[in-house]
mmCIF file with all atom_site columns, all heavy atoms in Angstrom:
data_model
loop_
_atom_site.group_PDB
_atom_site.id
_atom_site.type_symbol
_atom_site.label_atom_id
_atom_site.label_alt_id
_atom_site.label_comp_id
_atom_site.label_asym_id
_atom_site.label_entity_id
_atom_site.label_seq_id
_atom_site.pdbx_PDB_ins_code
_atom_site.Cartn_x
_atom_site.Cartn_y
_atom_site.Cartn_z
_atom_site.occupancy
_atom_site.B_iso_or_equiv
_atom_site.pdbx_formal_charge
_atom_site.auth_seq_id
_atom_site.auth_comp_id
_atom_site.auth_asym_id
_atom_site.auth_atom_id
_atom_site.pdbx_PDB_model_num
ATOM 1   N N   . MET A 1 158 ? 81.163 122.369 114.402 1.00 0.00 ? 175 MET A N   1
ATOM 2   C CA  . MET A 1 158 ? 82.626 122.416 114.594 1.00 0.00 ? 175 MET A CA  1
ATOM 3   C C   . MET A 1 158 ? 83.209 123.688 113.978 1.00 0.00 ? 175 MET A C   1
ATOM 4   O O   . MET A 1 158 ? 84.063 124.338 114.576 1.00 0.00 ? 175 MET A O   1
ATOM 5   C CB  . MET A 1 158 ? 83.273 121.172 113.976 1.00 0.00 ? 175 MET A CB  1
ATOM 6   C CG  . MET A 1 158 ? 82.982 119.921 114.791 1.00 0.00 ? 175 MET A CG  1
ATOM 7   S SD  . MET A 1 158 ? 83.848 118.489 114.158 1.00 0.00 ? 175 MET A SD  1
ATOM 8   C CE  . MET A 1 158 ? 83.739 117.389 115.578 1.00 0.00 ? 175 MET A CE  1
ATOM 9   N N   . LEU A 1 159 ? 82.734 124.038 112.777 1.00 0.00 ? 176 LEU A N   1
ATOM 10  C CA  . LEU A 1 159 ? 83.220 125.252 112.122 1.00 0.00 ? 176 LEU A CA  1
ATOM 11  C C   . LEU A 1 159 ? 82.892 126.479 112.976 1.00 0.00 ? 176 LEU A C   1
ATOM 12  O O   . LEU A 1 159 ? 83.733 127.369 113.174 1.00 0.00 ? 176 LEU A O   1
ATOM 13  C CB  . LEU A 1 159 ? 82.584 125.395 110.728 1.00 0.00 ? 176 LEU A CB  1
ATOM 14  C CG  . LEU A 1 159 ? 82.918 126.703 110.006 1.00 0.00 ? 176 LEU A CG  1
ATOM 15  C CD1 . LEU A 1 159 ? 84.402 126.776 109.660 1.00 0.00 ? 176 LEU A CD1 1
ATOM 16  C CD2 . LEU A 1 159 ? 82.084 126.867 108.735 1.00 0.00 ? 176 LEU A CD2 1
ATOM 17  N N   . ASP A 1 160 ? 81.675 126.504 113.479 1.00 0.00 ? 177 ASP A N   1
ATOM 18  C CA  . ASP A 1 160 ? 81.252 127.657 114.270 1.00 0.00 ? 177 ASP A CA  1
ATOM 19  C C   . ASP A 1 160 ? 82.147 127.831 115.504 1.00 0.00 ? 177 ASP A C   1
ATOM 20  O O   . ASP A 1 160 ? 82.565 128.943 115.847 1.00 0.00 ? 177 ASP A O   1
ATOM 21  C CB  . ASP A 1 160 ? 79.787 127.489 114.696 1.00 0.00 ? 177 ASP A CB  1
ATOM 22  C CG  . ASP A 1 160 ? 79.261 128.742 115.359 1.00 0.00 ? 177 ASP A CG  1
ATOM 23  O OD1 . ASP A 1 160 ? 79.141 129.759 114.658 1.00 0.00 ? 177 ASP A OD1 1
ATOM 24  O OD2 . ASP A 1 160 ? 79.021 128.719 116.591 1.00 0.00 ? 177 ASP A OD2 1
ATOM 25  N N   . GLU A 1 161 ? 82.486 126.713 116.144 1.00 0.00 ? 178 GLU A N   1
ATOM 26  C CA  . GLU A 1 161 ? 83.355 126.780 117.330 1.00 0.00 ? 178 GLU A CA  1
ATOM 27  C C   . GLU A 1 161 ? 84.757 127.252 116.940 1.00 0.00 ? 178 GLU A C   1
ATOM 28  O O   . GLU A 1 161 ? 85.364 128.092 117.609 1.00 0.00 ? 178 GLU A O   1
ATOM 29  C CB  . GLU A 1 161 ? 83.420 125.397 117.998 1.00 0.00 ? 178 GLU A CB  1
ATOM 30  C CG  . GLU A 1 161 ? 84.061 125.388 119.380 1.00 0.00 ? 178 GLU A CG  1
ATOM 31  C CD  . GLU A 1 161 ? 83.259 126.156 120.431 1.00 0.00 ? 178 GLU A CD  1
ATOM 32  O OE1 . GLU A 1 161 ? 82.036 126.321 120.269 1.00 0.00 ? 178 GLU A OE1 1
ATOM 33  O OE2 . GLU A 1 161 ? 83.893 126.615 121.414 1.00 0.00 ? 178 GLU A OE2 1
ATOM 34  N N   . PHE A 1 162 ? 85.255 126.712 115.839 1.00 0.00 ? 179 PHE A N   1
ATOM 35  C CA  . PHE A 1 162 ? 86.595 127.077 115.355 1.00 0.00 ? 179 PHE A CA  1
ATOM 36  C C   . PHE A 1 162 ? 86.661 128.577 115.057 1.00 0.00 ? 179 PHE A C   1
ATOM 37  O O   . PHE A 1 162 ? 87.603 129.272 115.450 1.00 0.00 ? 179 PHE A O   1
ATOM 38  C CB  . PHE A 1 162 ? 86.914 126.260 114.097 1.00 0.00 ? 179 PHE A CB  1
ATOM 39  C CG  . PHE A 1 162 ? 88.289 126.499 113.534 1.00 0.00 ? 179 PHE A CG  1
ATOM 40  C CD1 . PHE A 1 162 ? 89.390 125.813 114.037 1.00 0.00 ? 179 PHE A CD1 1
ATOM 41  C CD2 . PHE A 1 162 ? 88.489 127.412 112.503 1.00 0.00 ? 179 PHE A CD2 1
ATOM 42  C CE1 . PHE A 1 162 ? 90.667 126.033 113.516 1.00 0.00 ? 179 PHE A CE1 1
ATOM 43  C CE2 . PHE A 1 162 ? 89.750 127.632 111.978 1.00 0.00 ? 179 PHE A CE2 1
ATOM 44  C CZ  . PHE A 1 162 ? 90.849 126.937 112.496 1.00 0.00 ? 179 PHE A CZ  1
ATOM 45  N N   . GLU A 1 163 ? 85.633 129.092 114.364 1.00 0.00 ? 180 GLU A N   1
ATOM 46  C CA  . GLU A 1 163 ? 85.623 130.520 113.999 1.00 0.00 ? 180 GLU A CA  1
ATOM 47  C C   . GLU A 1 163 ? 85.464 131.398 115.242 1.00 0.00 ? 180 GLU A C   1
ATOM 48  O O   . GLU A 1 163 ? 86.049 132.480 115.324 1.00 0.00 ? 180 GLU A O   1
ATOM 49  C CB  . GLU A 1 163 ? 84.501 130.781 112.987 1.00 0.00 ? 180 GLU A CB  1
ATOM 50  C CG  . GLU A 1 163 ? 84.797 130.148 111.625 1.00 0.00 ? 180 GLU A CG  1
ATOM 51  C CD  . GLU A 1 163 ? 83.678 130.342 110.591 1.00 0.00 ? 180 GLU A CD  1
ATOM 52  O OE1 . GLU A 1 163 ? 82.516 130.602 110.991 1.00 0.00 ? 180 GLU A OE1 1
ATOM 53  O OE2 . GLU A 1 163 ? 83.980 130.235 109.384 1.00 0.00 ? 180 GLU A OE2 1
ATOM 54  N N   . THR A 1 164 ? 84.691 130.912 116.212 1.00 0.00 ? 181 THR A N   1
ATOM 55  C CA  . THR A 1 164 ? 84.513 131.681 117.460 1.00 0.00 ? 181 THR A CA  1
ATOM 56  C C   . THR A 1 164 ? 85.846 131.785 118.202 1.00 0.00 ? 181 THR A C   1
ATOM 57  O O   . THR A 1 164 ? 86.234 132.855 118.663 1.00 0.00 ? 181 THR A O   1
ATOM 58  C CB  . THR A 1 164 ? 83.445 130.993 118.344 1.00 0.00 ? 181 THR A CB  1
ATOM 59  O OG1 . THR A 1 164 ? 82.252 130.868 117.579 1.00 0.00 ? 181 THR A OG1 1
ATOM 60  C CG2 . THR A 1 164 ? 83.163 131.794 119.608 1.00 0.00 ? 181 THR A CG2 1
ATOM 61  N N   . ILE A 1 165 ? 86.561 130.671 118.277 1.00 0.00 ? 182 ILE A N   1
ATOM 62  C CA  . ILE A 1 165 ? 87.850 130.665 118.991 1.00 0.00 ? 182 ILE A CA  1
ATOM 63  C C   . ILE A 1 165 ? 88.853 131.582 118.297 1.00 0.00 ? 182 ILE A C   1
ATOM 64  O O   . ILE A 1 165 ? 89.553 132.358 118.938 1.00 0.00 ? 182 ILE A O   1
ATOM 65  C CB  . ILE A 1 165 ? 88.408 129.224 119.095 1.00 0.00 ? 182 ILE A CB  1
ATOM 66  C CG1 . ILE A 1 165 ? 87.547 128.399 120.049 1.00 0.00 ? 182 ILE A CG1 1
ATOM 67  C CG2 . ILE A 1 165 ? 89.877 129.215 119.531 1.00 0.00 ? 182 ILE A CG2 1
ATOM 68  C CD1 . ILE A 1 165 ? 87.828 126.907 120.027 1.00 0.00 ? 182 ILE A CD1 1
ATOM 69  N N   . HIS A 1 166 ? 88.906 131.513 116.959 1.00 0.00 ? 183 HIS A N   1
ATOM 70  C CA  . HIS A 1 166 ? 89.927 132.264 116.231 1.00 0.00 ? 183 HIS A CA  1
ATOM 71  C C   . HIS A 1 166 ? 89.504 133.687 115.878 1.00 0.00 ? 183 HIS A C   1
ATOM 72  O O   . HIS A 1 166 ? 90.323 134.487 115.441 1.00 0.00 ? 183 HIS A O   1
ATOM 73  C CB  . HIS A 1 166 ? 90.355 131.494 114.976 1.00 0.00 ? 183 HIS A CB  1
ATOM 74  C CG  . HIS A 1 166 ? 91.146 130.256 115.313 1.00 0.00 ? 183 HIS A CG  1
ATOM 75  N ND1 . HIS A 1 166 ? 92.456 130.300 115.710 1.00 0.00 ? 183 HIS A ND1 1
ATOM 76  C CD2 . HIS A 1 166 ? 90.788 128.956 115.358 1.00 0.00 ? 183 HIS A CD2 1
ATOM 77  C CE1 . HIS A 1 166 ? 92.888 129.067 115.971 1.00 0.00 ? 183 HIS A CE1 1
ATOM 78  N NE2 . HIS A 1 166 ? 91.893 128.229 115.765 1.00 0.00 ? 183 HIS A NE2 1
ATOM 79  N N   . GLY A 1 167 ? 88.230 133.981 116.023 1.00 0.00 ? 184 GLY A N   1
ATOM 80  C CA  . GLY A 1 167 ? 87.764 135.350 115.815 1.00 0.00 ? 184 GLY A CA  1
ATOM 81  C C   . GLY A 1 167 ? 87.715 135.786 114.368 1.00 0.00 ? 184 GLY A C   1
ATOM 82  O O   . GLY A 1 167 ? 87.743 136.976 114.077 1.00 0.00 ? 184 GLY A O   1
ATOM 83  N N   . HIS A 1 168 ? 87.667 134.838 113.450 1.00 0.00 ? 185 HIS A N   1
ATOM 84  C CA  . HIS A 1 168 ? 87.475 135.195 112.038 1.00 0.00 ? 185 HIS A CA  1
ATOM 85  C C   . HIS A 1 168 ? 86.862 134.007 111.304 1.00 0.00 ? 185 HIS A C   1
ATOM 86  O O   . HIS A 1 168 ? 86.907 132.878 111.786 1.00 0.00 ? 185 HIS A O   1
ATOM 87  C CB  . HIS A 1 168 ? 88.794 135.599 111.368 1.00 0.00 ? 185 HIS A CB  1
ATOM 88  C CG  . HIS A 1 168 ? 89.832 134.514 111.380 1.00 0.00 ? 185 HIS A CG  1
ATOM 89  N ND1 . HIS A 1 168 ? 89.829 133.446 110.517 1.00 0.00 ? 185 HIS A ND1 1
ATOM 90  C CD2 . HIS A 1 168 ? 90.909 134.331 112.191 1.00 0.00 ? 185 HIS A CD2 1
ATOM 91  C CE1 . HIS A 1 168 ? 90.852 132.661 110.776 1.00 0.00 ? 185 HIS A CE1 1
ATOM 92  N NE2 . HIS A 1 168 ? 91.524 133.164 111.789 1.00 0.00 ? 185 HIS A NE2 1
ATOM 93  N N   . LYS A 1 169 ? 86.311 134.309 110.121 1.00 0.00 ? 186 LYS A N   1
ATOM 94  C CA  . LYS A 1 169 ? 85.709 133.233 109.328 1.00 0.00 ? 186 LYS A CA  1
ATOM 95  C C   . LYS A 1 169 ? 86.807 132.359 108.739 1.00 0.00 ? 186 LYS A C   1
ATOM 96  O O   . LYS A 1 169 ? 87.869 132.862 108.351 1.00 0.00 ? 186 LYS A O   1
ATOM 97  C CB  . LYS A 1 169 ? 84.845 133.807 108.196 1.00 0.00 ? 186 LYS A CB  1
ATOM 98  C CG  . LYS A 1 169 ? 83.636 134.588 108.693 1.00 0.00 ? 186 LYS A CG  1
ATOM 99  C CD  . LYS A 1 169 ? 82.617 133.689 109.361 1.00 0.00 ? 186 LYS A CD  1
ATOM 100 C CE  . LYS A 1 169 ? 81.521 134.495 110.050 1.00 0.00 ? 186 LYS A CE  1
ATOM 101 N NZ  . LYS A 1 169 ? 80.752 133.695 111.017 1.00 0.00 ? 186 LYS A NZ  1
ATOM 102 N N   . GLY A 1 170 ? 86.550 131.084 108.651 1.00 0.00 ? 187 GLY A N   1
ATOM 103 C CA  . GLY A 1 170 ? 87.568 130.171 108.098 1.00 0.00 ? 187 GLY A CA  1
ATOM 104 C C   . GLY A 1 170 ? 86.918 128.913 107.569 1.00 0.00 ? 187 GLY A C   1
ATOM 105 O O   . GLY A 1 170 ? 87.192 127.808 108.059 1.00 0.00 ? 187 GLY A O   1
ATOM 106 N N   . PRO A 1 171 ? 86.045 129.078 106.543 1.00 0.00 ? 188 PRO A N   1
ATOM 107 C CA  . PRO A 1 171 ? 85.283 127.901 106.084 1.00 0.00 ? 188 PRO A CA  1
ATOM 108 C C   . PRO A 1 171 ? 86.143 126.774 105.541 1.00 0.00 ? 188 PRO A C   1
ATOM 109 O O   . PRO A 1 171 ? 85.688 125.633 105.464 1.00 0.00 ? 188 PRO A O   1
ATOM 110 C CB  . PRO A 1 171 ? 84.359 128.485 104.995 1.00 0.00 ? 188 PRO A CB  1
ATOM 111 C CG  . PRO A 1 171 ? 85.004 129.758 104.562 1.00 0.00 ? 188 PRO A CG  1
ATOM 112 C CD  . PRO A 1 171 ? 85.733 130.285 105.747 1.00 0.00 ? 188 PRO A CD  1
ATOM 113 N N   . GLY A 1 172 ? 87.412 127.096 105.170 1.00 0.00 ? 189 GLY A N   1
ATOM 114 C CA  . GLY A 1 172 ? 88.314 126.044 104.671 1.00 0.00 ? 189 GLY A CA  1
ATOM 115 C C   . GLY A 1 172 ? 88.804 125.127 105.785 1.00 0.00 ? 189 GLY A C   1
ATOM 116 O O   . GLY A 1 172 ? 89.496 124.143 105.521 1.00 0.00 ? 189 GLY A O   1
ATOM 117 N N   . PHE A 1 173 ? 88.411 125.405 107.032 1.00 0.00 ? 190 PHE A N   1
ATOM 118 C CA  . PHE A 1 173 ? 88.847 124.570 108.168 1.00 0.00 ? 190 PHE A CA  1
ATOM 119 C C   . PHE A 1 173 ? 88.259 123.168 108.109 1.00 0.00 ? 190 PHE A C   1
ATOM 120 O O   . PHE A 1 173 ? 88.877 122.207 108.573 1.00 0.00 ? 190 PHE A O   1
ATOM 121 C CB  . PHE A 1 173 ? 88.444 125.250 109.497 1.00 0.00 ? 190 PHE A CB  1
ATOM 122 C CG  . PHE A 1 173 ? 88.204 124.289 110.634 1.00 0.00 ? 190 PHE A CG  1
ATOM 123 C CD1 . PHE A 1 173 ? 89.231 123.479 111.117 1.00 0.00 ? 190 PHE A CD1 1
ATOM 124 C CD2 . PHE A 1 173 ? 86.953 124.172 111.217 1.00 0.00 ? 190 PHE A CD2 1
ATOM 125 C CE1 . PHE A 1 173 ? 89.007 122.572 112.153 1.00 0.00 ? 190 PHE A CE1 1
ATOM 126 C CE2 . PHE A 1 173 ? 86.725 123.272 112.249 1.00 0.00 ? 190 PHE A CE2 1
ATOM 127 C CZ  . PHE A 1 173 ? 87.748 122.459 112.710 1.00 0.00 ? 190 PHE A CZ  1
ATOM 128 N N   . ILE A 1 174 ? 87.058 123.049 107.543 1.00 0.00 ? 191 ILE A N   1
ATOM 129 C CA  . ILE A 1 174 ? 86.373 121.753 107.611 1.00 0.00 ? 191 ILE A CA  1
ATOM 130 C C   . ILE A 1 174 ? 85.583 121.552 106.319 1.00 0.00 ? 191 ILE A C   1
ATOM 131 O O   . ILE A 1 174 ? 85.138 122.527 105.705 1.00 0.00 ? 191 ILE A O   1
ATOM 132 C CB  . ILE A 1 174 ? 85.461 121.717 108.868 1.00 0.00 ? 191 ILE A CB  1
ATOM 133 C CG1 . ILE A 1 174 ? 85.239 120.301 109.374 1.00 0.00 ? 191 ILE A CG1 1
ATOM 134 C CG2 . ILE A 1 174 ? 84.143 122.449 108.657 1.00 0.00 ? 191 ILE A CG2 1
ATOM 135 C CD1 . ILE A 1 174 ? 84.791 120.232 110.832 1.00 0.00 ? 191 ILE A CD1 1
ATOM 136 N N   . THR A 1 175 ? 85.422 120.306 105.908 1.00 0.00 ? 192 THR A N   1
ATOM 137 C CA  . THR A 1 175 ? 84.607 120.044 104.709 1.00 0.00 ? 192 THR A CA  1
ATOM 138 C C   . THR A 1 175 ? 83.423 119.150 105.081 1.00 0.00 ? 192 THR A C   1
ATOM 139 O O   . THR A 1 175 ? 83.337 118.648 106.200 1.00 0.00 ? 192 THR A O   1
ATOM 140 C CB  . THR A 1 175 ? 85.447 119.397 103.594 1.00 0.00 ? 192 THR A CB  1
ATOM 141 O OG1 . THR A 1 175 ? 85.947 118.160 104.080 1.00 0.00 ? 192 THR A OG1 1
ATOM 142 C CG2 . THR A 1 175 ? 86.594 120.295 103.162 1.00 0.00 ? 192 THR A CG2 1
ATOM 143 N N   . GLY A 1 176 ? 82.537 118.989 104.090 1.00 0.00 ? 193 GLY A N   1
ATOM 144 C CA  . GLY A 1 176 ? 81.302 118.248 104.388 1.00 0.00 ? 193 GLY A CA  1
ATOM 145 C C   . GLY A 1 176 ? 80.285 119.148 105.050 1.00 0.00 ? 193 GLY A C   1
ATOM 146 O O   . GLY A 1 176 ? 79.365 118.683 105.728 1.00 0.00 ? 193 GLY A O   1
ATOM 147 N N   . LYS A 1 177 ? 80.457 120.466 104.878 1.00 0.00 ? 194 LYS A N   1
ATOM 148 C CA  . LYS A 1 177 ? 79.521 121.432 105.474 1.00 0.00 ? 194 LYS A CA  1
ATOM 149 C C   . LYS A 1 177 ? 78.217 121.424 104.678 1.00 0.00 ? 194 LYS A C   1
ATOM 150 O O   . LYS A 1 177 ? 78.197 120.998 103.516 1.00 0.00 ? 194 LYS A O   1
ATOM 151 C CB  . LYS A 1 177 ? 80.137 122.845 105.420 1.00 0.00 ? 194 LYS A CB  1
ATOM 152 C CG  . LYS A 1 177 ? 81.478 122.965 106.129 1.00 0.00 ? 194 LYS A CG  1
ATOM 153 C CD  . LYS A 1 177 ? 82.076 124.352 106.005 1.00 0.00 ? 194 LYS A CD  1
ATOM 154 C CE  . LYS A 1 177 ? 82.588 124.737 104.640 1.00 0.00 ? 194 LYS A CE  1
ATOM 155 N NZ  . LYS A 1 177 ? 83.791 124.030 104.196 1.00 0.00 ? 194 LYS A NZ  1
ATOM 156 N N   . PRO A 1 178 ? 77.125 121.939 105.271 1.00 0.00 ? 195 PRO A N   1
ATOM 157 C CA  . PRO A 1 178 ? 75.874 121.978 104.510 1.00 0.00 ? 195 PRO A CA  1
ATOM 158 C C   . PRO A 1 178 ? 76.035 122.888 103.292 1.00 0.00 ? 195 PRO A C   1
ATOM 159 O O   . PRO A 1 178 ? 76.740 123.898 103.360 1.00 0.00 ? 195 PRO A O   1
ATOM 160 C CB  . PRO A 1 178 ? 74.869 122.594 105.494 1.00 0.00 ? 195 PRO A CB  1
ATOM 161 C CG  . PRO A 1 178 ? 75.497 122.468 106.845 1.00 0.00 ? 195 PRO A CG  1
ATOM 162 C CD  . PRO A 1 178 ? 76.981 122.465 106.647 1.00 0.00 ? 195 PRO A CD  1
ATOM 163 N N   . VAL A 1 179 ? 75.369 122.510 102.194 1.00 0.00 ? 196 VAL A N   1
ATOM 164 C CA  . VAL A 1 179 ? 75.376 123.364 101.003 1.00 0.00 ? 196 VAL A CA  1
ATOM 165 C C   . VAL A 1 179 ? 74.701 124.683 101.390 1.00 0.00 ? 196 VAL A C   1
ATOM 166 O O   . VAL A 1 179 ? 73.696 124.695 102.104 1.00 0.00 ? 196 VAL A O   1
ATOM 167 C CB  . VAL A 1 179 ? 74.607 122.667 99.852  1.00 0.00 ? 196 VAL A CB  1
ATOM 168 C CG1 . VAL A 1 179 ? 74.425 123.603 98.671  1.00 0.00 ? 196 VAL A CG1 1
ATOM 169 C CG2 . VAL A 1 179 ? 75.357 121.409 99.416  1.00 0.00 ? 196 VAL A CG2 1
#
Side-chain angles (χ1 to χ4, degrees):
M175 288 185 162
L176 174 66
D177 187 67
E178 191 66 24
F179 183 84
E180 291 178 339
T181 304
I182 290 169
H183 290 284
H185 60 78
K186 295 292 171 197
F190 152 63
I191 207 160
T192 61
K194 302 178 289 290
V196 172

